[in-house]
């Protein structure tokens, strides 16, 4: 559903904001159409008004919007506005913070001159209580009058001294600006402290503010060579960076060919461009836009390349800022939006559960290569270190045999290294059994919506397929484990075949960490949801590359999808079937006889 536009009524109470031509046209009261998709925050509306009404000259510090007498914060969402709302537009005045941040002594002089207050009224409020209790009324009036004159001259003298010192700061060439500000600050402090104590009480507030200004100038004009973070005034040429990227990788005659592109970005150029086009079409973040100054933003190619490089090489966000001209914040946002978009666009296909046709193809592929009929894949787990785990959570993410907090990934892998099931959200303190109890791996079987694909081994028919597992998994009918005690040659051959087939699982974790080196380094995000999105996005990209290279066993059929499981009841009988230990033992013995009587080519024993 598209968001409707909002019509706003604008009122310019201060006529000086508009030009004479605008005032003659009656634009003191105007209508404004706001598009929530383009103007998401109040600051966007303010920038639009500055550009539309040409208010840059009359409002150099910007504008503020008021509704019902209350100011609208620039960071507030435009969803707070309603149709036909009345907004008052006012000029944003320069404050002390803006004057100091301007880096110019003239701004501080203007601030002191504009915000100068009459000292007489302040002096009346700051008189000591003893002076107000004079017995003689006539003498009290005369005394107060003399003190007012004295305090007025004192305050004016201090303010004038600050204005004089700050005005000379730019023209001072005999010493550095930091030394000048430092001496000015102490000159003010000594001059103010040398006066009579009873008189200084009357203007202590004003002298404190002015001393603060002088101290701020000392910090502002301090020598930048001693600062660990110098101010960067370099202008970023985003368009030139985009053109350089296109010339190197995406032009008609690119500098780097297909082989180098695939090696650097883990996929073919055609697959990458398809991902970029899909993201640009579906998500506004990856569309090219222009800011309020009319400057071009970052292109979809720059954002996607930055995200891919962070995943493929595990680098920090600003590693490629010189080449892509992206700041650290933009690179981090590009990675987060890229992972989220990958899951939303391709998760339905590349994180799907196997359908009927998929299961039949997996049965045939695993039996022909390993000699295991009815095998769906191998199951196992790995850990990803979480470096920035919050202290309050470290206990549940730590384990005795690991040095740092981790998050567990449990996955099911087929012979072609396709990851069919992935469960990544469990604290590292758990083991395989705890993860299995939380993993919705058998939800379809329990709910009665699983694809019915029975198989036969050693002339015995079994209802459910199985996964090869190690010793820590329970003795369920859906798991086939190696023998602990090798009494005869049959069991030795079975264990050798089992071990050879389970190499796929160890290989897939190595392939993931080799292709996407972000898994080699500890996770830097503090939000576990961002880490989860990163993991699932890399798994989806891994499966997409397998399909693009023609290595996937099972094609994706649009009409062959698993049944929806929402609102279905749990079948207790099915749970007992899946966890039957007797079926587990019988199935393993039948597979032993099948492997002994079957010659499996290209299998290491």
């Amino acid at each position: 559903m598209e968001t409707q536009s909002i019509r706003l009524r604008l009122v310019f109470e201060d006529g000086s904001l508009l030009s004479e031509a605008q005032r003659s046209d009656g634009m003191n009261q105007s209508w404004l159409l706001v598009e929530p998709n383009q103007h998401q925050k109040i600051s966007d509306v303010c920038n639009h008004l500055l550009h539309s009404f040409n208010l840059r000259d009359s409002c150099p510090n910007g504008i503020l919007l008021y509704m019902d007498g209350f100011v609208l914060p620039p960071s507030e969402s435009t969803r707070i506005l309603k149709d036909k709302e009345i907004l008052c537009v006012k000029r944003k005045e320069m404050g002390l913070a803006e004057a100091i941040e301007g880096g110019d002594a003239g701004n501080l002089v203007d601030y002191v001159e504009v915000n100068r207050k009459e000292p007489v009224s302040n002096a009346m409020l700051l008189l000591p209580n003893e002076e107000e209790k004079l017995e003689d009324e006539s003498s009290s009036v005369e005394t107060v009058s003399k003190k007012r004159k004295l305090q007025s001259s004192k305050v004016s003298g201090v303010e004038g001294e600050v204005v004089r010192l700050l005005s000379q700061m730019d023209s001072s060439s005999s010493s550095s600006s930091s030394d000048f500000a430092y001496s000015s600050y102490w000159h003010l402090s000594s001059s103010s402290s040398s006066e009579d104590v009873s008189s200084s009480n009357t203007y202590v507030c004003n002298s404190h503010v002015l001393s603060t200004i002088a101290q701020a100038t000392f910090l502002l004009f301090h020598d930048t060579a001693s600062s660990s973070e110098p101010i960067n005034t370099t202008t970023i040429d985003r368009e030139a960076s985009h053109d350089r990227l296109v010339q190197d990788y995406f032009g008609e005659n690119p500098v780097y060919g297909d082989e180098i592109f695939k090696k650097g970005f883990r996929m073919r150029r055609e697959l990458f461009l398809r991902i970029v086009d899909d993201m640009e079409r579906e998500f506004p973040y990856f569309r090219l836009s222009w800011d309020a100054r009319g400057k071009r933003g970052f292109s979809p190619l720059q954002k996607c390349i930055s995200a891919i490089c962070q995943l493929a090489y595990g680098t920090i966000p600003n590693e490629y800022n010189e080449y892509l001209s992206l700041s650290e914040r933009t690179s981090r946002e590009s990675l987060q939006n890229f992972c989220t978009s990958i899951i939303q666009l391709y998760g339905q296909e590349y994180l799907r559960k196997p359908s009927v046709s998929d299961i039949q193809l997996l049965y045939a592929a695993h039996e022909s290569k390993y000699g295991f009929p009815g095998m769906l894949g191998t199951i196992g787990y790995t850990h990803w270190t979480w470096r920035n785990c919050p202290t309050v959570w470290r206990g549940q993410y730590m384990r005795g045999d690991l040095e740092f907090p981790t998050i567990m990934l449990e996955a099911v892998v087929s012979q072609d290294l396709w990851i069919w099931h992935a469960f990544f959200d469990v604290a590292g303190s758990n083991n395989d059994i705890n993860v299995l109890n939380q993993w919705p791996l058998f939800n379809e079987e329990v709910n009665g919506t699983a694809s019915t694909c029975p198989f036969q081994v050693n002339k015995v028919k079994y209802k459910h397929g199985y996964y090869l597992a190690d010793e820590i998994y329970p003795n369920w009918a859906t798991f086939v484990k190696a023998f602990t005690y090798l009494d005869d040659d049959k069991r030795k051959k079975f264990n050798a075949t089992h071990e050879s087939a389970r190499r796929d699982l160890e290989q897939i974790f190595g392939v993931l960490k080799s292709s996407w080196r972000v898994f080699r380094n500890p996770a830097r995000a503090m939000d576990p949801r961002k880490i989860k999105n990163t993991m699932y996005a890399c798994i989806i990209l891994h499966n997409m590359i397998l399909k693009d290279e023609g290595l996937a066993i099972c094609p994706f059929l649009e009409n062959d999808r698993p049944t929806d499981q929402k609102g279905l009841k749990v079948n207790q009988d099915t749970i007992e079937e899946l966890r039957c230990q007797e079926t587990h033992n019988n199935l393993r013995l039948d597979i032993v006889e099948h492997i002994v009587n079957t010659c499996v080519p290209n299998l290491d024993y």
Side-chain angles (χ1 to χ4, degrees):
M1 181 177 179
E2 298 182 356
T3 307
Q4 297 182 353
S5 303
I6 303 175
R7 298 176 300 170
L8 302 177
R9 290 181 284 185
L10 302 178
V11 177
F12 294 86
E13 295 182 353
D14 188 358
S16 62
L17 299 180
L18 303 176
S19 62
E20 184 177 355
Q22 291 174 332
R23 291 196 300 269
S24 61
D25 293 339
M27 298 183 68
N28 290 345
Q29 296 181 355
S30 307
W31 284 95
L32 177 67
L33 183 65
V34 174
E35 298 288 348
N37 294 332
Q38 300 178 2
H39 310 95
Q40 299 180 358
K41 295 183 179 181
I42 298 297
S43 59
D44 299 334
V45 179
C46 293
N47 292 333
H48 179 63
L49 290 176
L50 290 173
H51 178 74
S52 301
F53 289 88
N54 195 17
L55 304 178
R56 298 290 184 183
D57 297 334
S58 60
C59 303
N61 300 316
I63 60 175
L64 293 176
L65 299 181
Y66 289 78
M67 182 173 64
D68 297 333
F70 295 89
V71 68
L72 293 172
S75 59
E76 184 61 54
S77 173
T78 52
R79 290 182 295 179
I80 196 175
L81 302 176
K82 298 182 180 179
D83 196 39
K84 299 182 180 181
E85 200 79 72
I86 300 177
L87 299 183
C88 181
V89 183
K90 295 184 180 181
R91 181 187 292 108
K92 183 179 179 182
E93 301 295 342
M94 179 177 61
L96 175 60
E98 288 81 359
I100 294 177
E101 289 177 359
D104 186 8
N107 290 338
L108 294 174
V109 174
D110 295 340
Y111 175 81
V112 173
E113 293 291 347
V114 171
N115 295 277
R116 185 193 300 273
K117 298 183 179 179
E118 292 296 331
V120 176
S121 59
N122 291 337
M124 285 294 296
L125 295 176
L126 295 174
L127 284 176
N129 295 333
E130 291 78 10
E131 300 295 338
E132 296 179 358
K133 297 180 181 180
L134 295 177
E135 298 179 358
D136 189 2
E137 183 177 358
S138 60
S139 61
S140 175
V141 174
E142 182 180 359
T143 303
V144 172
S145 176
K146 292 181 180 179
K147 289 184 176 293
R148 286 179 178 177
K149 294 180 181 180
L150 178 62
Q151 291 151 8
S152 177
S153 63
K154 297 298 182 182
V155 175
S156 301
V158 174
E159 289 185 355
E161 188 69 17
V162 172
V163 172
R164 183 183 65 80
L165 293 175
L166 295 179
S167 299
Q168 295 177 0
M169 188 171 296
D170 287 336
S171 60
S172 176
S173 60
S174 59
S175 61
S176 64
S177 57
S178 60
D179 296 336
F180 183 84
Y182 183 81
S183 60
S184 302
Y185 166 70
W186 285 109
H187 176 72
L188 288 174
S189 301
S190 61
S191 62
S192 60
S193 61
S194 62
E195 303 295 337
D196 185 71
V197 177
S198 61
S199 301
S200 63
N201 289 336
T202 61
Y203 62 92
V204 63
C205 289
N206 287 329
S207 62
H208 176 70
V209 171
L210 298 176
S211 299
T212 303
I213 296 175
Q215 187 177 10
T217 60
F218 164 68
L219 297 177
L220 175 65
F221 293 99
H222 195 271
D223 189 6
T224 57
S226 62
S227 177
S228 59
E229 297 182 0
I231 299 176
N232 183 15
T233 58
T234 305
T235 302
I236 299 177
D237 194 346
R238 304 169 182 172
E239 189 171 357
S241 301
H242 169 77
D243 296 340
R244 181 171 60 249
L245 180 63
V246 172
Q247 181 181 0
D248 291 344
Y249 293 102
F250 304 100
E252 295 182 359
N253 297 314
V255 177
Y256 305 102
D258 296 341
E259 184 178 354
I260 297 179
F261 184 92
K262 181 179 178 181
K263 182 179 180 180
F265 301 109
R266 307 299 190 256
M267 64 186 72
R268 295 190 308 115
R269 182 182 286 107
E270 292 76 13
L271 176 59
F272 177 79
L273 291 177
R274 178 166 69 89
I275 293 175
V276 174
D277 292 339
D278 292 344
M279 289 188 175
E280 185 178 5
R281 183 181 62 255
E282 297 295 336
F283 301 99
Y285 178 82
F286 291 97
R287 297 171 188 167
L288 184 62
S289 60
W290 284 260
D291 58 15
R293 303 171 298 169
K295 299 294 184 179
R296 174 176 172 173
F298 294 107
S299 65
L301 285 177
Q302 289 173 287
K303 295 179 180 179
C304 292
I305 285 291
S306 175
I308 287 292
C309 288
Q310 293 180 63
L311 296 176
Y313 298 102
T315 57
I316 57 178
N318 60 347
E319 179 73 18
Y320 303 98
N321 57 354
E322 295 183 0
Y323 182 76
L324 299 175
S325 299
L326 269 72
S327 64
E328 180 179 359
R329 177 180 177 181
T330 305
S331 300
R332 189 183 299 110
E333 291 177 351
S334 300
L335 176 61
Q336 297 170 5
N337 286 277
F338 181 84
C339 294
T340 304
S341 303
I342 285 290
I343 296 173
Q344 295 181 10
L345 285 174
Y346 309 110
Q348 184 178 4
E349 176 179 355
Y350 295 98
L351 282 182
R352 72 183 189 274
K353 295 183 178 180
S355 60
V356 176
S357 58
D358 294 335
I359 293 177
Q360 293 175 351
L361 292 174
L362 291 176
Y363 283 173
H366 291 148
E367 184 175 6
S368 61
K369 184 174 182 179
Y370 302 124
F372 282 94
M375 173 183 167
L376 294 173
T378 57
I379 184 173
Y381 73 96
T382 187
H383 290 263
W384 188 10
T385 305
W386 187 8
R387 184 181 65 181
N388 291 332
C389 176
T391 305
V392 295
W393 293 349
R394 293 182 70 89
Q396 59 178 323
Y397 285 90
M398 287 288 293
R399 210 168 72 174
D401 57 338
L402 299 176
E403 185 178 359
F404 301 103
T406 60
I407 304 178
M408 295 185 64
L409 167 67
E410 192 150 17
V412 171
V413 186
S414 57
Q415 174 263 326
D416 57 347
L417 301 184
W418 185 285
I419 301 177
W420 286 101
H421 300 273
F423 187 52
F424 179 80
D425 201 17
V426 184
S429 59
N430 294 274
N431 55 22
D432 291 29
I433 304 301
N434 303 129
V435 177
L436 184 63
N437 293 331
Q438 303 176 49
W439 192 5
L441 178 61
F442 300 107
N443 280 5
E444 289 186 344
E445 286 80 359
V446 172
N447 295 329
T449 61
S451 304
T452 304
C453 293
F455 66 95
Q456 187 173 355
V457 54
N458 198 26
K459 299 181 181 180
V460 179
K461 187 176 182 180
Y462 291 91
K463 185 177 180 180
H464 304 286
Y466 59 87
Y467 305 98
L468 299 186
D470 56 15
E471 293 78 7
I472 194 174
Y473 285 89
N475 296 330
W476 291 359
T478 52
F479 296 134
V480 172
K481 305 189 299 182
F483 289 98
T484 306
Y485 303 101
L486 305 179
D487 300 335
D488 50 18
D489 294 337
K490 294 182 178 180
R491 293 191 175 189
K492 292 181 180 180
K493 185 176 181 179
F494 172 83
N495 278 15
T497 308
H498 185 279
E499 180 182 356
S500 178
R502 275 191 55 82
R503 290 176 184 172
D504 291 341
L505 180 70
E506 304 299 333
Q507 184 180 0
I508 187 56
F509 292 146
V511 169
L512 276 179
K513 294 180 180 180
S514 177
S515 299
W516 310 105
R517 297 181 184 176
V518 66
F519 299 137
R520 289 187 178 183
N521 303 325
R524 289 187 289 266
M526 297 189 66
D527 190 351
R529 293 172 297 182
K530 297 179 181 179
I531 303 177
K532 181 179 179 181
N533 290 340
T534 302
M535 174 62 74
Y536 284 137
C538 290
I539 292 175
I540 292 174
L541 291 173
H542 167 78
N543 290 343
M544 291 180 68
I545 294 172
L546 286 180
K547 181 180 178 181
D548 183 67
E549 296 177 352
L551 302 177
I553 296 176
C554 307
F556 175 68
L557 302 178
E558 187 70 23
N559 299 326
D560 190 12
R561 296 182 179 178
T563 309
D564 190 7
Q565 305 176 23
K566 296 182 179 179
L568 298 177
K569 296 182 180 180
V570 176
N571 190 341
Q572 192 64 31
D573 295 337
T574 306
I575 296 178
E576 295 179 359
E577 291 179 3
L578 297 175
R579 300 184 177 184
C580 181
Q581 186 172 357
E582 182 180 358
T583 305
H584 166 80
N585 296 329
N586 294 335
L587 174 61
R588 186 165 58 171
L589 293 177
D590 289 334
I591 294 176
V592 169
E593 296 297 331
H594 176 80
I595 291 177
V596 171
N597 299 326
T598 304
C599 179
V600 181
N602 301 325
L603 192 62
D604 298 332
Y605 294 113

